[in-house]
Amino acid sequence: MRRKLLLGNWKMNKLASEAKEFAISSKPLVQKAKDAGIDIGVAPTYLSLQAVKENASSDMIVAAQNVHQLVSGAYTGEVSIPMLKEFGIDWVIIGHSERRTYDNETNAKCNAKIKALISNNMVPVYCVGETLVEFEGGLTKEIVGTQVRDGLKDLTAEEVKNLVVAYEPVWSIGTGKNASTEIAQDICHFIREVLRELFGEVADEIRILYGGSVKPENVKAYLSCEDVDGALVGGASLKIDSYEGLLLNIL
Ligand code: PEP
């Protein structure tokens, strides 16, 4: 039985003081999620990780939005796994489409990061998804299949069992243009079949999220899809009211 997961991606938003305020206000929500058997979390900027970790309920998942695969060295502007671990962070979003677009995050780079995270007992949330041109060209499964295969290359079934995959069609992120629930189910099911081909039965344990303009009004429809185990939410996770709305609508 896969537990539902609601994860907010704050991107480059919120000062640490604002993140702290959100963390404090989220305590009752996290309790409600826990009581309902739903996992809930947020991914603040690096600078707000500590504020959220220290002020939210200990049941709140606090994820980083990126990490470097090496431990230390001459990589200006980067943050490593031990640096995150020192603050008790053990979830990291990998391969978000904005990082793929603006920071040349390739499938191979994602693979190196995912391997480093897994070998440190951390949870990667691996984002995959096609662009509008690829969608319109009927290439979704080819692109997503390659992202999954290359991003998870050389890993074993045992290693990937706690991994989370997020299907986020690039054309639906921050655009208000949702993928239909049929598309979300079809591609999340396809991802599960690729995972099954790669890793066997463990595919049924791996959580697959949908992301892309998820809001309190549509979250329930996505989570009612058989292969959609939760949502990765950007804009609608920024305000506590709307974050609460997301949760209340799936309880
Ligand atoms: C995201 O950033 O992963 C995302 C899905 O954003 P939004 O919900 O704003 O489309």
Side-chain angles (χ1 to χ4, degrees):
M1 179 67 179
R2 301 183 295 266
R3 281 168 72 88
K4 299 279 181 217
L5 169 61
L6 191 59
L7 187 63
N9 173 18
W10 287 352
K11 314 190 186 198
M12 196 173 70
N13 290 295
K14 286 195 191 296
L15 301 176
S17 51
E18 295 164 335
K20 176 179 175 181
E21 207 176 298
F22 184 108
I24 294 168
S25 324
S26 71
K27 282 188 170 173
L29 289 186
V30 178
Q31 187 57 47
K32 272 186 203 152
K34 188 181 182 191
D35 294 344
I38 296 171
D39 291 334
I40 189 166
V42 287
T45 66
Y46 287 133
L47 290 173
S48 295
L49 287 171
Q50 190 178 10
V52 177
K53 196 75 194 165
E54 285 179 358
N55 291 285
S57 152
S58 59
D59 292 308
M60 174 80 126
I61 293 167
V62 185
Q65 298 174 15
N66 181 36
V67 75
H68 196 278
Q69 65 273 22
L70 298 178
V71 169
S72 62
Y75 300 97
T76 303
E78 298 287 349
V79 165
S80 73
I81 287 174
M83 293 169 189
L84 293 180
K85 287 203 113 176
E86 190 179 22
F87 286 93
I89 305 300
D90 41 29
W91 285 59
V92 184
I93 296 176
I94 296 294
H96 190 279
S97 69
E98 286 147 17
R99 295 203 55 81
R100 288 180 186 266
T101 305
Y102 307 127
D103 297 280
N104 193 29
E105 193 102 324
T106 59
N107 293 332
K109 229 190 229 183
C110 291
N111 180 245
K113 294 181 181 197
I114 291 170
K115 281 183 183 156
L117 287 169
I118 290 176
S119 63
N120 281 281
N121 297 316
M122 293 170 79
V123 182
V125 179
Y126 179 41
C127 301
V128 296
E130 80 287 5
T131 63
L132 183 59
V133 172
E134 290 159 351
F135 173 72
E136 288 175 345
L139 297 172
T140 300
K141 290 186 179 170
E142 191 178 323
I143 296 294
V144 170
T146 301
Q147 289 170 331
V148 173
R149 285 191 181 88
D150 292 358
L152 304 181
K153 204 165 163 226
D154 298 329
L155 287 161
T156 65
E158 179 58 26
E159 288 171 325
V160 296
K161 70 172 192 285
N162 293 321
L163 169 92
V164 175
V165 179
Y167 168 55
E168 300 205 303
V170 180
W171 47 272
S172 74
I173 298 178
T175 58
K177 202 170 156 185
N178 297 80
S180 64
T181 49
E182 288 76 16
I183 294 176
Q185 166 57 24
D186 182 36
I187 304 305
C188 289
H189 178 73
F190 167 74
I191 291 171
R192 199 173 306 286
E193 289 314 303
V194 175
L195 293 171
R196 195 183 310 286
E197 175 197 313
L198 295 172
F199 305 110
E201 281 177 9
V202 81
D204 291 319
E205 289 176 47
I206 297 175
R207 290 187 283 186
I208 303 176
L209 314 181
Y210 168 75
S213 298
V214 174
K215 301 195 168 33
E217 309 84 69
N218 60 25
V219 67
K220 191 171 179 174
Y222 287 114
L223 267 70
S224 307
C225 300
E226 196 182 330
D227 285 289
V228 179
D229 305 312
L232 181 56
V233 186
S237 72
L238 287 170
K239 295 231 165 72
I240 194 75
D241 291 353
S242 128
Y243 189 70
E244 179 174 27
L246 290 163
L247 176 69
L248 295 184
N249 286 335
I250 58 167
L251 286 180

